[in-house]
């Protein structure tokens, strides 16, 4: 599916703690690319509200609901797009032109970015990940452990862990 252009009523914006919910209504029975839109539901899409300065942004296409009067399109936007979302507020409640195209991002990737507390990485378009060259690897951990073991002083069998034990030599015994 290529870029889809829809004339819609920007019905509402609703914010919760982690996401912004956008709802658009397509008036009437005519909906271009109906099958393709239904196929996109549940995936990540790239949205652009033409009349706003928000530009393009990724959104989860939550659902398509159709009744006799309208078709409702619902989207979730993550909180990391706050600057773009603010630019959408003046257009809520108005008729706008909505551009939508599929994204290569998966729903898991879309939500994982917020919850990931591990190492920083970037996912390439081919699906491979790039991590910082300064990131420690498991091989580095093994080398560090080996060097720590080598730096520890060797314990002799004569060493006694008793702090009250005296180190006596033969001369001390003769006195």
């Amino acid at each position: 599916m290529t870029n889809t252009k829809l004339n819609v009523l920007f019905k509402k914006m609703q914010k919760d703690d982690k996401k912004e919910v956008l709802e658009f209504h397509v008036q009437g029975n005519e909906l271009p690319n109906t099958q393709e839109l239904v196929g996109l539901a549940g995936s990540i899409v790239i949205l652009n509200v033409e009349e706003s300065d928000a530009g393009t942004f990724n959104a989860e296409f939550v659902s398509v609901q159709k009744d006799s009067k309208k078709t409702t399109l619902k989207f979730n936007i993550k909180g990391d797009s706050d600057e773009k979302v603010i630019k959408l507020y003046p257009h809520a409640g108005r008729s706008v032109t909505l551009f939508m195209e599929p994204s290569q991002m998966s729903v898991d990737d879309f939500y994982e970015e917020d919850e990931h507390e591990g190492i920083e990485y970037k996912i390439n378009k081919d699906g491979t990940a790039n991590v910082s060259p300064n990131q420690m690897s498991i091989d580095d951990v093994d080398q560090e452990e080996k060097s720590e073991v080598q730096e520890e002083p060797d314990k002799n069998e004569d060493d006694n862990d008793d702090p009250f034990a005296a180190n006596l030599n033969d001369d001390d015994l003769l006195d």
Side-chain angles (χ1 to χ4, degrees):
M1 178 173 155
T2 58
N3 200 349
T4 300
K5 179 180 177 181
L6 300 169
N7 293 318
V8 296
L9 173 62
F10 191 167
K11 185 63 175 175
K12 70 178 179 178
M13 292 180 69
Q14 184 176 352
K15 185 176 179 77
D16 69 12
D17 59 341
K18 291 188 179 183
K19 65 185 177 299
E20 192 86 31
V21 179
L22 305 180
E23 187 176 303
F24 298 93
H25 290 183
V26 181
Q27 301 297 327
N29 293 331
E30 292 294 319
L31 183 64
N33 306 322
T34 303
Q35 288 301 95
E36 292 179 30
L37 286 174
V38 170
L40 276 178
S43 67
I44 304 301
V45 294
I46 300 169
L47 291 181
N48 184 0
V49 177
E50 184 178 53
E51 294 79 5
S52 77
D53 295 329
T56 61
F57 49 90
N58 287 324
E60 178 187 13
F61 188 2
V62 178
S63 66
V64 178
Q65 296 174 332
K66 188 170 183 162
D67 62 26
S68 62
K69 296 180 183 177
K70 67 185 176 306
T71 302
T72 303
L73 308 173
K74 290 185 182 179
F75 300 90
N76 288 342
I77 301 174
K78 289 191 316 182
D80 62 351
S81 304
D82 281 344
E83 289 178 25
K84 292 182 177 188
V85 170
I86 289 170
K87 295 177 182 178
L88 292 176
Y89 274 101
H91 303 283
R94 298 182 180 179
S95 291
V96 297
T97 303
L98 179 67
F99 291 97
M100 181 174 50
E101 64 181 289
S103 173
Q104 292 185 0
M105 182 181 280
S106 73
V107 173
D108 291 337
D109 293 337
F110 184 72
Y111 286 107
E112 185 176 289
E113 291 176 10
D114 284 344
E115 299 170 8
H116 195 290
E117 294 181 10
I119 62 173
E120 289 186 22
Y121 64 94
K122 293 190 183 213
I123 298 176
N124 301 321
K125 290 184 179 185
D126 64 357
T128 60
N130 283 341
V131 295
S132 167
N134 298 329
Q135 177 63 42
M136 182 179 265
S137 72
I138 193 70
D139 295 333
D140 296 335
V141 173
D142 288 343
Q143 289 175 352
E144 223 174 83
E145 287 177 356
K146 287 178 185 176
S147 67
E148 286 176 5
V149 169
Q150 290 174 356
E151 290 175 7
E152 287 183 12
D154 291 336
K155 291 198 170 208
N156 294 332
E157 290 177 18
D158 294 339
D159 286 351
N160 189 344
D161 288 337
D162 184 3
F164 299 107
N167 289 330
L168 302 175
N169 59 31
D170 292 338
D171 294 334
D172 292 334
L173 296 174
L174 297 176
D175 289 333

